[in-house]
Amino acid sequence: MNPARVVARVPFGRAPLMIDAFYKLAKPLLFRCDAETTHRLMLAFLAAWPISTAPAAPPELKTRVFGLDFANPVGLAAGMDKDAIAVGAWQSLGFGFAELGTVTPRAQPGNPRPRVWRLPERGALINRLGFPSDGANTVARRIEQLRSRKLGLRLGINIGPNKDTPAEKVALDYAALVGALGRLSDFVVINLSSPNTPGLRAWQSPQRLRELHGALADASAPAPPPPFLIKLSPDIDAAELGPICDAVVQLGFAGIVATNTTLARAEVGVASNHEGGLSGRPLCERARATIRSIRRQVGDRVPIIGVGGIASAEDAYGHIRAGASLVELYTGLVYEGPAVVESINAGLAALLRRDGFRSISEAVGTAA
Ligand SMILES: Cc1cc2nc3c(=O)[nH]c(=O)nc-3n(C[C@H](O)[C@H](O)[C@H](O)COP(=O)(O)O)c2cc1C
């Protein structure tokens, strides 16, 4: 019997169980609505959840990454809570951190609906949301209110440009976002890899990274700059990934988030005509291969947040052994339900023990 699966059934606290029970009960009904309507209903429910104490994670999961302490390495991926409305629930579910956003400078509606589809038999989603956002000022106000409360989880903020921003002004959008949100975040993720904002992925180049770095450097003054991470796509050519990673190291970015959704279909065994980024189970191997390539290139000089297709402790552990210091999930939460967070944490602790690691950091990159 796999120890991760046994321990994964042991709950830490009651809040996640209650949210999970509600989700499991409502799921057949929720899954009859289109994916975005379900998402909105769930967020409205979770937004009403009070900020309660986080369930205690196994102590060996405590970890320190880019100078910050995390109670556990499992985070909420960007896109689930774009406008920072349900942070209390993320803490109650046992996440060690939440990456909010993508936030754009000005509020914008995103692409026309429908723009999110489920592929339930594959445990996958396809989305072409195109950054619907309440805008930086509104999100900043919400986070300011949260900061006056007791938060046990770390908050990252993922930022991206407005759709109508001309290419030559994109760096200014990022700088404006850092000005508005940088002081409120534990770390900032520069999203250069959404496939749904035309031209954005072209910023994944050493030259553009240099340009961006220059624009970001002064943007958070007089407050000290937060750690800046770069979020990359799983679709970058092997030949291009090396120079991008080298630039990230040379410029002193604090980390890399790998990966965003993929435009691949047949290569990951999916047949679908919906346009947009694919996430979930079919992405897992492709994301892990990208994490492994990045780790081989940067070693332990730049920590990686591994994301893509995680739905179990084994998936999370695989990303960690490939080189991720922290992990995140989105689609796995949709299909497995809220208790998956505690189950991943409990399972990770069991897998570490099984393999003789005393901490997450000891396991990072051991299968790179
Ligand atoms: C509906 C949806 C919306 C997303 N929105 C964003 C976003 O706004 N910014 C971003 O960086 N990533 C976004 N993502 C990508 C996720 O953060 C994550 O990188 C990707 O889905 C892979 O993880 P997963 O397989 O656990 O879902 C979104 C994903 C989904 C499914």
Side-chain angles (χ1 to χ4, degrees):
M1 172 69 86
N2 182 337
R5 291 213 185 281
V6 176
V7 181
R9 296 209 186 98
V10 181
F12 294 128
R14 272 185 308 162
L17 286 183
M18 283 160 64
I19 300 176
D20 194 67
F22 168 80
Y23 187 72
K24 297 256 158 71
L25 213 66
K27 196 174 159 192
L29 210 63
L30 288 170
F31 268 44
R32 279 206 210 155
C33 309
D34 93 289
E36 187 168 353
T37 306
T38 304
H39 181 247
R40 282 169 186 252
L41 286 171
M42 269 319 282
L43 263 191
F45 169 74
L46 292 174
W49 201 264
I51 299 186
S52 56
T53 321
E60 59 269 47
L61 297 189
K62 281 201 183 105
T63 190
R64 191 170 172 79
V65 187
F66 36 81
L68 300 174
D69 291 318
F70 292 78
N72 71 67
V74 181
L76 178 77
M80 177 65 83
D81 191 1
K82 288 173 184 284
D83 296 310
I85 64 171
V87 174
W90 310 131
Q91 168 153 311
S92 300
L93 291 184
F95 281 110
F97 64 105
E99 188 181 324
L100 307 170
T102 295
V103 184
T104 57
R106 286 168 283 112
Q108 65 176 27
N111 291 327
R113 291 174 73 167
R115 50 192 184 172
V116 188
W117 296 269
R118 292 187 202 95
L119 280 57
E121 67 292 350
R122 304 304 316 277
L125 294 171
I126 293 178
N127 91 84
R128 55 159 183 268
L129 285 162
F131 296 167
S133 173
D134 285 349
N137 289 341
T138 303
V139 174
R141 267 197 303 278
R142 281 189 197 126
I143 298 177
E144 251 157 22
Q145 280 166 8
L146 283 168
R147 285 288 181 205
S148 59
R149 318 276 290 278
K150 197 172 176 321
L151 277 185
L153 84 174
R154 292 285 181 188
L155 287 186
I157 301 185
N158 177 308
I159 57 175
N162 278 113
K163 190 179 181 182
D164 58 3
T165 299
E168 69 279 7
K169 299 227 165 109
V170 163
L172 295 180
D173 266 14
Y174 283 111
L177 285 155
V178 168
L181 294 161
R183 78 202 145 79
L184 300 167
S185 338
D186 292 312
F187 61 95
V188 171
V189 179
I190 317 291
N191 184 1
L192 303 178
S193 47
S194 167
N196 303 314
T197 296
L200 188 66
R201 286 182 162 197
W203 282 81
Q204 301 176 122
S205 82
Q207 190 196 331
R208 294 276 182 90
L209 282 176
R210 249 169 247 124
E211 203 180 311
L212 253 185
H213 191 261
L216 295 178
D218 303 326
S220 59
F228 291 122
L229 284 73
I230 299 293
K231 184 164 180 180
L232 296 178
S233 148
D235 303 334
I236 303 173
D237 276 359
E240 286 170 26
L241 188 58
I244 293 171
C245 291
D246 290 344
V248 167
V249 176
Q250 281 157 16
L251 291 164
F253 283 105
I256 294 174
V257 182
T259 69
N260 214 313
T261 54
T262 180
L263 289 173
R265 295 291 187 271
E267 304 92 305
V268 294
V270 169
S272 169
N273 294 329
H274 294 303
E275 275 175 30
L278 173 76
S279 59
R281 213 189 307 134
L283 173 61
C284 191
E285 270 314 310
R286 196 177 180 87
R288 188 168 301 159
T290 307
I291 294 165
R292 195 172 284 119
S293 302
I294 295 171
R295 174 72 181 192
R296 287 184 183 158
Q297 192 74 22
V298 304
D300 56 11
R301 291 173 296 174
V302 176
I304 301 165
I305 300 183
V307 51
I310 293 177
S312 68
E314 288 84 354
D315 297 334
Y317 192 54
H319 280 11
I320 289 168
R321 296 204 58 198
S325 296
L326 300 168
V327 293
E328 293 178 341
L329 68 158
Y330 182 137
T331 309
L333 188 62
V334 171
Y335 286 105
E336 301 299 319
V340 74
V341 184
E342 284 192 74
S343 146
I344 291 176
N345 272 323
L348 272 178
L351 289 164
L352 289 178
R353 277 197 294 276
R354 181 194 71 185
D355 293 346
F357 296 119
R358 280 162 305 173
S359 64
I360 288 287
S361 60
E362 278 189 9
V364 173
T366 46

Short mmCIF file of all heavy atoms in Angstrom, two decimals, residues 39 77-80 82 99 101-103 115-116 125-127 129 131-132 158 189 191 193-194 231 257-261 277-281 283-284 307-310 328-333, ligand 1:
data_model
loop_
_atom_site.label_atom_id
_atom_site.label_comp_id
_atom_site.label_asym_id
_atom_site.label_seq_id
_atom_site.Cartn_x
_atom_site.Cartn_y
_atom_site.Cartn_z
N HIS A 39 -17.30 28.33 -11.76
CA HIS A 39 -16.19 29.00 -11.10
C HIS A 39 -16.68 30.21 -10.31
O HIS A 39 -16.33 30.42 -9.15
CB HIS A 39 -15.16 29.39 -12.16
CG HIS A 39 -13.96 30.05 -11.59
ND1 HIS A 39 -13.65 31.37 -11.83
CD2 HIS A 39 -12.99 29.60 -10.77
CE1 HIS A 39 -12.55 31.69 -11.17
NE2 HIS A 39 -12.13 30.63 -10.54
N ALA A 77 -2.54 28.20 -7.84
CA ALA A 77 -1.98 28.79 -9.06
C ALA A 77 -2.77 30.02 -9.49
O ALA A 77 -3.95 30.18 -9.14
CB ALA A 77 -1.99 27.74 -10.18
N ALA A 78 -2.12 30.86 -10.27
CA ALA A 78 -2.77 32.09 -10.76
C ALA A 78 -3.98 31.75 -11.61
O ALA A 78 -4.05 30.72 -12.26
CB ALA A 78 -1.77 32.89 -11.58
N GLY A 79 -4.95 32.66 -11.59
CA GLY A 79 -6.13 32.53 -12.43
C GLY A 79 -7.36 32.09 -11.65
O GLY A 79 -8.48 32.42 -12.02
N MET A 80 -7.17 31.35 -10.55
CA MET A 80 -8.31 30.89 -9.76
C MET A 80 -8.94 32.07 -9.02
O MET A 80 -10.16 32.20 -8.96
CB MET A 80 -7.84 29.82 -8.76
CG MET A 80 -8.89 29.30 -7.82
SD MET A 80 -10.21 28.40 -8.64
CE MET A 80 -9.52 26.76 -8.82
N LYS A 82 -8.38 35.73 -9.44
CA LYS A 82 -7.71 36.82 -10.16
C LYS A 82 -7.82 38.14 -9.42
O LYS A 82 -6.95 39.00 -9.52
CB LYS A 82 -8.34 36.99 -11.55
CG LYS A 82 -8.00 35.88 -12.53
CD LYS A 82 -8.81 36.04 -13.81
CE LYS A 82 -8.59 34.91 -14.78
NZ LYS A 82 -7.32 34.97 -15.50
N GLU A 99 -1.17 32.48 -5.30
CA GLU A 99 -0.74 33.44 -6.33
C GLU A 99 -2.01 34.06 -6.91
O GLU A 99 -2.76 33.40 -7.64
CB GLU A 99 0.08 32.71 -7.40
CG GLU A 99 0.73 33.66 -8.38
CD GLU A 99 1.52 32.92 -9.47
OE1 GLU A 99 2.14 31.88 -9.18
OE2 GLU A 99 1.49 33.40 -10.62
N GLY A 101 -4.29 36.97 -9.10
CA GLY A 101 -4.10 37.53 -10.43
C GLY A 101 -4.33 36.48 -11.50
O GLY A 101 -4.76 35.37 -11.20
N THR A 102 -4.08 36.79 -12.72
CA THR A 102 -3.35 37.95 -13.23
C THR A 102 -4.15 39.23 -13.07
O THR A 102 -5.32 39.30 -13.49
CB THR A 102 -3.00 37.75 -14.72
OG1 THR A 102 -2.10 36.65 -14.85
CG2 THR A 102 -2.35 38.97 -15.33
N VAL A 103 -3.49 40.27 -12.54
CA VAL A 103 -4.08 41.59 -12.40
C VAL A 103 -3.52 42.45 -13.53
O VAL A 103 -2.33 42.39 -13.82
CB VAL A 103 -3.71 42.22 -11.03
CG1 VAL A 103 -4.40 43.56 -10.86
CG2 VAL A 103 -4.05 41.28 -9.89
N ARG A 115 -15.50 30.93 -22.76
CA ARG A 115 -14.04 31.06 -22.85
C ARG A 115 -13.32 30.09 -21.91
O ARG A 115 -12.11 30.18 -21.77
CB ARG A 115 -13.64 32.51 -22.59
CG ARG A 115 -14.27 33.07 -21.31
CD ARG A 115 -14.11 34.57 -21.20
NE ARG A 115 -14.64 35.03 -19.93
CZ ARG A 115 -14.53 36.26 -19.46
NH1 ARG A 115 -13.90 37.17 -20.18
NH2 ARG A 115 -15.02 36.59 -18.29
N VAL A 116 -14.07 29.19 -21.26
CA VAL A 116 -13.46 28.11 -20.48
C VAL A 116 -14.25 26.83 -20.75
O VAL A 116 -15.49 26.86 -20.74
CB VAL A 116 -13.53 28.38 -18.95
CG1 VAL A 116 -12.71 27.33 -18.19
CG2 VAL A 116 -13.03 29.78 -18.59
N LEU A 125 -8.69 21.35 -18.51
CA LEU A 125 -9.48 22.53 -18.87
C LEU A 125 -8.81 23.21 -20.06
O LEU A 125 -7.58 23.09 -20.23
CB LEU A 125 -9.52 23.55 -17.72
CG LEU A 125 -10.23 23.17 -16.41
CD1 LEU A 125 -9.94 24.23 -15.34
CD2 LEU A 125 -11.73 23.06 -16.65
N ILE A 126 -9.61 23.89 -20.87
CA ILE A 126 -9.04 24.80 -21.87
C ILE A 126 -9.64 26.16 -21.59
O ILE A 126 -10.85 26.28 -21.37
CB ILE A 126 -9.40 24.34 -23.30
CG1 ILE A 126 -8.69 23.01 -23.60
CG2 ILE A 126 -9.01 25.41 -24.33
CD1 ILE A 126 -8.99 22.43 -24.97
N ASN A 127 -8.79 27.20 -21.54
CA ASN A 127 -9.33 28.54 -21.33
C ASN A 127 -8.69 29.54 -22.28
O ASN A 127 -7.54 29.41 -22.66
CB ASN A 127 -9.17 28.98 -19.87
CG ASN A 127 -7.86 29.73 -19.62
OD1 ASN A 127 -7.75 30.93 -19.84
ND2 ASN A 127 -6.84 28.98 -19.19
N LEU A 129 -9.42 33.06 -21.44
CA LEU A 129 -10.07 34.14 -20.70
C LEU A 129 -9.56 35.52 -21.13
O LEU A 129 -10.34 36.47 -21.23
CB LEU A 129 -9.83 33.96 -19.19
CG LEU A 129 -10.67 32.85 -18.54
CD1 LEU A 129 -10.08 32.44 -17.21
CD2 LEU A 129 -12.10 33.34 -18.33
N PHE A 131 -7.30 37.55 -19.49
CA PHE A 131 -7.09 38.47 -18.36
C PHE A 131 -8.29 39.34 -18.00
O PHE A 131 -8.16 40.58 -17.95
CB PHE A 131 -5.90 39.41 -18.61
CG PHE A 131 -4.56 38.77 -18.72
CD1 PHE A 131 -3.47 39.49 -19.22
CD2 PHE A 131 -4.33 37.46 -18.31
CE1 PHE A 131 -2.21 38.94 -19.32
CE2 PHE A 131 -3.07 36.89 -18.40
CZ PHE A 131 -2.01 37.64 -18.91
N PRO A 132 -9.49 38.77 -17.72
CA PRO A 132 -10.50 39.63 -17.10
C PRO A 132 -9.96 40.07 -15.74
O PRO A 132 -9.42 39.25 -15.00
CB PRO A 132 -11.71 38.70 -16.94
CG PRO A 132 -11.16 37.32 -17.01
CD PRO A 132 -9.91 37.37 -17.82
N ASN A 158 0.30 37.96 -9.40
CA ASN A 158 0.70 37.74 -10.79
C ASN A 158 0.17 38.92 -11.61
O ASN A 158 -0.99 39.30 -11.48
CB ASN A 158 0.06 36.40 -11.22
CG ASN A 158 0.31 36.06 -12.66
OD1 ASN A 158 0.06 36.85 -13.56
ND2 ASN A 158 0.75 34.83 -12.91
N VAL A 189 4.80 37.87 -9.58
CA VAL A 189 5.07 37.01 -10.73
C VAL A 189 4.76 37.78 -12.01
O VAL A 189 3.65 38.28 -12.20
CB VAL A 189 4.20 35.73 -10.68
CG1 VAL A 189 4.46 34.85 -11.91
CG2 VAL A 189 4.48 34.94 -9.40
N ASN A 191 3.89 37.68 -15.52
CA ASN A 191 3.31 36.68 -16.44
C ASN A 191 3.69 37.05 -17.87
O ASN A 191 3.18 38.02 -18.42
CB ASN A 191 1.79 36.66 -16.25
CG ASN A 191 1.13 35.59 -17.10
OD1 ASN A 191 1.80 34.86 -17.82
ND2 ASN A 191 -0.18 35.51 -17.02
N SER A 193 3.61 34.50 -20.20
CA SER A 193 3.37 33.23 -20.89
C SER A 193 1.92 32.88 -21.11
O SER A 193 1.63 31.77 -21.56
CB SER A 193 4.05 32.11 -20.08
OG SER A 193 3.74 32.23 -18.71
N SER A 194 0.99 33.81 -20.83
CA SER A 194 -0.40 33.49 -21.16
C SER A 194 -0.52 33.41 -22.67
O SER A 194 -0.07 34.32 -23.38
CB SER A 194 -1.34 34.56 -20.62
OG SER A 194 -2.61 34.37 -21.23
N LYS A 231 7.10 33.99 -15.06
CA LYS A 231 6.30 32.78 -15.35
C LYS A 231 6.45 32.41 -16.82
O LYS A 231 6.17 33.22 -17.71
CB LYS A 231 4.83 33.00 -15.01
CG LYS A 231 4.00 31.72 -15.22
CD LYS A 231 2.65 31.78 -14.53
CE LYS A 231 1.85 30.50 -14.76
NZ LYS A 231 0.54 30.52 -14.12
N VAL A 257 8.41 30.62 -12.42
CA VAL A 257 7.21 29.80 -12.28
C VAL A 257 7.05 29.01 -13.57
O VAL A 257 6.97 29.57 -14.65
CB VAL A 257 5.94 30.66 -12.03
CG1 VAL A 257 4.72 29.76 -11.84
CG2 VAL A 257 6.13 31.56 -10.81
N ALA A 258 7.05 27.67 -13.47
CA ALA A 258 6.97 26.83 -14.66
C ALA A 258 5.96 25.71 -14.38
O ALA A 258 6.19 24.91 -13.49
CB ALA A 258 8.35 26.24 -14.98
N THR A 259 4.83 25.68 -15.12
CA THR A 259 4.58 26.43 -16.33
C THR A 259 3.16 26.98 -16.37
O THR A 259 2.32 26.59 -15.58
CB THR A 259 4.72 25.50 -17.56
OG1 THR A 259 3.63 24.55 -17.55
CG2 THR A 259 6.02 24.83 -17.65
N ASN A 260 2.94 27.79 -17.40
CA ASN A 260 1.59 28.23 -17.75
C ASN A 260 0.90 27.12 -18.55
O ASN A 260 1.43 26.02 -18.68
CB ASN A 260 1.68 29.54 -18.55
CG ASN A 260 0.51 30.45 -18.25
OD1 ASN A 260 -0.64 30.01 -18.24
ND2 ASN A 260 0.78 31.72 -18.01
N THR A 261 -0.25 27.40 -19.11
CA THR A 261 -0.98 26.42 -19.93
C THR A 261 -0.27 26.21 -21.27
O THR A 261 0.58 27.02 -21.66
CB THR A 261 -2.41 26.93 -20.19
OG1 THR A 261 -2.33 28.24 -20.76
CG2 THR A 261 -3.22 26.98 -18.92
N GLY A 277 -5.48 27.93 -23.80
CA GLY A 277 -4.45 27.21 -23.07
C GLY A 277 -5.02 25.98 -22.39
O GLY A 277 -6.06 26.05 -21.74
N LEU A 278 -4.33 24.86 -22.53
CA LEU A 278 -4.76 23.59 -21.94
C LEU A 278 -4.03 23.40 -20.60
O LEU A 278 -2.81 23.61 -20.51
CB LEU A 278 -4.40 22.46 -22.90
CG LEU A 278 -4.59 21.03 -22.41
CD1 LEU A 278 -6.07 20.65 -22.44
CD2 LEU A 278 -3.79 20.05 -23.27
N SER A 279 -4.79 22.99 -19.58
CA SER A 279 -4.21 22.75 -18.25
C SER A 279 -4.69 21.40 -17.75
O SER A 279 -5.57 20.78 -18.34
CB SER A 279 -4.66 23.86 -17.29
OG SER A 279 -6.07 23.88 -17.23
N GLY A 280 -4.12 20.96 -16.64
CA GLY A 280 -4.58 19.72 -16.01
C GLY A 280 -3.72 18.53 -16.39
O GLY A 280 -2.57 18.68 -16.84
N ARG A 281 -4.29 17.35 -16.20
CA ARG A 281 -3.52 16.10 -16.28
C ARG A 281 -2.66 15.98 -17.55
O ARG A 281 -1.48 15.60 -17.45
CB ARG A 281 -4.47 14.92 -16.14
CG ARG A 281 -3.83 13.74 -15.44
CD ARG A 281 -4.69 12.47 -15.49
NE ARG A 281 -6.05 12.65 -15.02
CZ ARG A 281 -7.12 12.18 -15.67
NH1 ARG A 281 -7.00 11.51 -16.79
NH2 ARG A 281 -8.33 12.39 -15.17
N LEU A 283 -1.12 18.07 -19.12
CA LEU A 283 0.02 19.00 -19.09
C LEU A 283 1.13 18.52 -18.17
O LEU A 283 2.28 18.98 -18.26
CB LEU A 283 -0.50 20.38 -18.64
CG LEU A 283 0.49 21.50 -18.36
CD1 LEU A 283 1.29 21.85 -19.62
CD2 LEU A 283 -0.25 22.75 -17.86
N CYS A 284 0.83 17.56 -17.30
CA CYS A 284 1.75 17.23 -16.19
C CYS A 284 3.17 16.89 -16.68
O CYS A 284 4.15 17.48 -16.24
CB CYS A 284 1.18 16.08 -15.38
SG CYS A 284 2.05 15.80 -13.83
N VAL A 307 4.34 24.03 -11.61
CA VAL A 307 2.87 24.01 -11.77
C VAL A 307 2.52 23.42 -13.12
O VAL A 307 3.21 23.65 -14.11
CB VAL A 307 2.28 25.43 -11.56
CG1 VAL A 307 2.97 26.47 -12.41
CG2 VAL A 307 0.78 25.48 -11.83
N GLY A 308 1.46 22.63 -13.12
CA GLY A 308 1.01 21.99 -14.36
C GLY A 308 0.63 20.56 -14.09
O GLY A 308 1.49 19.70 -13.88
N GLY A 309 -0.68 20.28 -14.04
CA GLY A 309 -1.16 18.91 -13.97
C GLY A 309 -1.06 18.25 -12.62
O GLY A 309 -1.20 17.03 -12.52
N ILE A 310 -0.87 19.01 -11.56
CA ILE A 310 -0.78 18.38 -10.23
C ILE A 310 -2.18 18.10 -9.69
O ILE A 310 -3.01 19.00 -9.60
CB ILE A 310 -0.02 19.29 -9.24
CG1 ILE A 310 1.45 19.41 -9.67
CG2 ILE A 310 -0.13 18.75 -7.81
CD1 ILE A 310 2.28 20.33 -8.80
N GLU A 328 2.25 24.45 -7.29
CA GLU A 328 0.93 25.09 -7.31
C GLU A 328 -0.02 24.23 -8.13
O GLU A 328 0.42 23.46 -8.99
CB GLU A 328 1.00 26.43 -8.05
CG GLU A 328 1.79 27.51 -7.39
CD GLU A 328 1.84 28.78 -8.21
OE1 GLU A 328 1.58 28.72 -9.43
OE2 GLU A 328 2.15 29.82 -7.65
N LEU A 329 -1.32 24.43 -7.89
CA LEU A 329 -2.31 23.76 -8.73
C LEU A 329 -3.54 24.63 -8.94
O LEU A 329 -3.84 25.50 -8.12
CB LEU A 329 -2.72 22.41 -8.16
CG LEU A 329 -3.52 22.34 -6.87
CD1 LEU A 329 -4.26 21.01 -6.79
CD2 LEU A 329 -2.61 22.48 -5.67
N TYR A 330 -4.20 24.39 -10.04
CA TYR A 330 -5.48 25.01 -10.37
C TYR A 330 -6.46 23.92 -10.78
O TYR A 330 -7.43 23.61 -10.09
CB TYR A 330 -5.29 26.05 -11.48
CG TYR A 330 -6.54 26.80 -11.88
CD1 TYR A 330 -6.51 28.17 -12.11
CD2 TYR A 330 -7.77 26.16 -12.06
CE1 TYR A 330 -7.66 28.88 -12.48
CE2 TYR A 330 -8.92 26.85 -12.41
CZ TYR A 330 -8.86 28.21 -12.64
OH TYR A 330 -9.99 28.89 -13.00
N THR A 331 -6.19 23.26 -11.92
CA THR A 331 -7.16 22.33 -12.49
C THR A 331 -7.40 21.12 -11.58
O THR A 331 -8.53 20.63 -11.48
CB THR A 331 -6.67 21.87 -13.89
OG1 THR A 331 -6.36 23.06 -14.64
CG2 THR A 331 -7.73 21.07 -14.62
N GLY A 332 -6.37 20.67 -10.89
CA GLY A 332 -6.52 19.54 -9.96
C GLY A 332 -7.52 19.86 -8.85
O GLY A 332 -8.24 18.98 -8.38
N LEU A 333 -7.57 21.12 -8.45
CA LEU A 333 -8.51 21.54 -7.41
C LEU A 333 -9.94 21.45 -7.94
O LEU A 333 -10.86 21.04 -7.22
CB LEU A 333 -8.17 22.98 -7.02
CG LEU A 333 -8.86 23.62 -5.84
CD1 LEU A 333 -8.57 22.87 -4.56
CD2 LEU A 333 -8.42 25.08 -5.69
C1 LIG B 1 -9.27 28.98 -16.14
C2 LIG B 1 -7.80 29.27 -15.97
C3 LIG B 1 -7.38 30.59 -15.84
C4 LIG B 1 -6.02 30.88 -15.70
N1 LIG B 1 -5.63 32.18 -15.55
C5 LIG B 1 -4.31 32.46 -15.39
C6 LIG B 1 -3.88 33.79 -15.19
O1 LIG B 1 -4.68 34.72 -15.12
N2 LIG B 1 -2.54 34.01 -15.08
C7 LIG B 1 -1.62 33.00 -15.12
O2 LIG B 1 -0.42 33.25 -15.00
N3 LIG B 1 -2.02 31.71 -15.27
C8 LIG B 1 -3.33 31.44 -15.40
N4 LIG B 1 -3.72 30.13 -15.54
C9 LIG B 1 -2.69 29.07 -15.59
C10 LIG B 1 -2.47 28.43 -14.23
O3 LIG B 1 -1.97 29.33 -13.29
C11 LIG B 1 -1.47 27.26 -14.35
O4 LIG B 1 -0.22 27.77 -14.74
C12 LIG B 1 -1.92 26.22 -15.38
O5 LIG B 1 -3.31 26.06 -15.37
C13 LIG B 1 -1.28 24.86 -15.11
O6 LIG B 1 -1.64 24.38 -13.83
P1 LIG B 1 -2.83 23.31 -13.59
O7 LIG B 1 -2.61 22.18 -14.55
O8 LIG B 1 -2.68 22.93 -12.15
O9 LIG B 1 -4.10 24.03 -13.87
C14 LIG B 1 -5.07 29.83 -15.68
C15 LIG B 1 -5.51 28.50 -15.78
C16 LIG B 1 -6.85 28.22 -15.91
C17 LIG B 1 -7.30 26.79 -16.01
#
